[in-house]
Amino acid sequence: MILRVILLATCLSILPITGEAADNLGILGAHPRWSVLEHYQEAITHDEFTRLIQNVYCTHGFAPDLIEVNPDTARILTNRESQNFFTLRFAKNDASRNRVPRLWHPGKSLPPAKADKPLSGLRIALDPGHLGGDWAKMEERWFQVDSTQPVQEGDLTLKVARLLATRLRELGAKIFFVRNGNEPVTAKRPDDFRELARKILIRNGVPQPRADVLDPNDPEKEQTIRWQSEILFYRYSEIRRRAALVNFKLHPDLVLCLHFNAEGWGDPNNPTLTDINHLHLLVNGSYLQQELEYDDERFEMIRRLLSRAYDEELPLADTIANAMGRETQLPAYQYPTANSTTKVGNSGYVYARNLLATRLYRCPVVYCEPYVMNSNDAFARIQAGDYEGTRNVNGLERKSIFREYADSVTDGLIEYYSKAREKGD
Ligand SMILES: [Zn+2]
């Protein structure tokens, strides 16, 4: 589940002492190292670059001075204040292009595998969304119907990750957990962000922010230092630390972000249940114009584009989505607007969207959003818990919702990698 976007525009970089222009960074953003992109010189053709910009990454357009595409080069703004640019040289054609530097392995680069070990040699990191446990209420990933077992997304995703790990290991994959418990990866806590939260609120037009939330249903709770410092902790700091773990320690070939979706449930102690239930998957792309204004986000987008992660994650996401659609029988989710997402691929279930995790993990990332937790059907299945085989739930013989999730993702991975490895490079 992805919470509605709360725009926290910042430009809180410490003023430079040397007189050079400050970077315009997103929340807790890292200073971009544009020189890294030198490694991608002449590794992509003009046509491929243009296709990815137009159809995947910048589908909402961008300010004309940010990226200028010429026949032989692309000129990318690195800093507006100082008017600095990075110049990327295109490869003349596909045959003469340089190798793309990367630490992950596309499926077709892996040697053919035994039929019963289609994932051998593959490194997969499982990223169970959110934290769960004692953090679930703070994360707003908690609801309870009467006196039934509370539904906490972070606990459900971890359960799926553990089932999935067992299945994928049997198939030969090396599995890593980005989170394998209810504790955050980040060492920071909300109190560490009180000062930053206060500055962000002031910058966003709240001159004297209140310290605390008085009532959880208060519509102005988002304007309190407490609420902002909590989101800085559990979203921004936490996902950035997970990214550091993925990028500098785990080096996986693929990250699977595991989530459960929801429709607005209102009061978490008296939630609304619905008959709506659906499935979608996300890959990185579809950056908003205002996101591209941030120097770090623009840099991360270009690096991701040049790494060609999309060429791997899109067909992977489509294949997994088809398997999940078949096995869960869920219809494809349709976003109510195209403001932040762009439909991609051919399964009908996959969208491009610029989320922190899909942007920051430097390898193919497939982000799964099956089941509406507060749908009548999923709610009953979550209450039924995990079990082997099938049981009658809501009048149908079915697997546990957790096994159906894990098994369908597994089947998609088997299908994708078996085919990719057969074809070879
Ligand atoms: Zn989620």
Side-chain angles (χ1 to χ4, degrees), residues 1-2 129-130 141 153 157 258-261 367 369 373:
M1 168 191 180
I2 304 154
H130 316 288
R141 295 298 190 284
E153 188 185 349
T157 59
L258 305 169
H259 289 254
F260 282 74
N261 212 339
Y367 193 109
E369 283 279 8
M373 291 180 287

Side-chain angles (χ1 to χ4, degrees), residues 30 35 75 80 129 168 179 202-203 216 243 253 256 262 265 314 320 348 359 362 378 402 409-410:
S35 60
R75 201 174 77 134
R80 182 168 280 140
L168 301 183
R179 165 176 82 85
I202 292 172
R203 195 167 281 263
D253 299 313
L256 293 170
W265 59 54
L314 178 69
I320 296 171
R359 180 172 81 247
R362 292 181 209 159
F402 307 101
V409 172
T410 304

Side-chain angles (χ1 to χ4, degrees), residues 110-121 171 417-418 421-422:
L110 298 169
K114 285 189 206 150
D116 63 336
K117 301 278 179 202
L119 307 183
S120 63
L171 297 164
Y417 285 102
S418 304
R421 299 177 82 142
E422 234 169 69

Side-chain angles (χ1 to χ4, degrees), residues 39-192:
H39 298 295
Y40 296 92
Q41 292 292 9
E42 291 165 57
I44 193 167
T45 60
H46 165 276
D47 290 3
E48 276 297 352
F49 184 86
T50 309
R51 176 184 71 89
L52 289 167
I53 288 282
Q54 286 177 351
N55 302 343
V56 182
Y57 291 100
C58 303
T59 46
H60 306 285
F62 50 86
D65 63 336
L66 294 184
I67 304 163
E68 184 189 293
V69 182
N70 303 305
D72 301 321
T73 59
R75 201 174 77 134
I76 298 141
L77 184 74
T78 58
N79 189 296
R80 182 168 280 140
E81 203 183 322
S82 62
Q83 281 296 298
N84 280 340
F85 295 87
F86 175 83
T87 301
L88 178 79
R89 298 188 305 278
F90 294 134
K92 297 256 179 301
N93 51 53
D94 252 337
S96 70
R97 70 177 179 82
N98 289 335
R99 242 186 122 233
V100 176
R102 60 185 162 211
L103 295 171
W104 53 270
H105 303 89
K108 63 180 183 185
S109 77
L110 298 169
K114 285 189 206 150
D116 63 336
K117 301 278 179 202
L119 307 183
S120 63
L122 194 70
R123 298 166 67 89
I124 301 177
L126 303 178
D127 183 17
H130 316 288
L131 298 168
D134 294 342
W135 306 100
K137 281 190 180 177
M138 181 194 288
E139 302 179 290
E140 302 183 1
R141 295 298 190 284
W142 181 98
F143 69 80
Q144 184 176 29
V145 176
D146 302 325
S147 55
T148 58
Q149 185 74 21
V151 174
Q152 310 193 150
E153 188 185 349
D155 296 349
L156 308 182
T157 59
L158 183 56
K159 209 175 257 194
V160 172
R162 288 176 174 164
L163 289 165
L164 190 53
T166 308
R167 297 269 348 250
L168 301 183
R169 282 189 185 118
E170 286 164 3
L171 297 164
K174 182 134 180 69
I175 298 298
F176 305 90
F177 281 84
V178 179
R179 165 176 82 85
N180 194 0
N182 290 131
E183 281 311 298
V185 175
T186 179
K188 303 274 193 208
R189 292 296 178 266
D191 277 351
D192 296 317

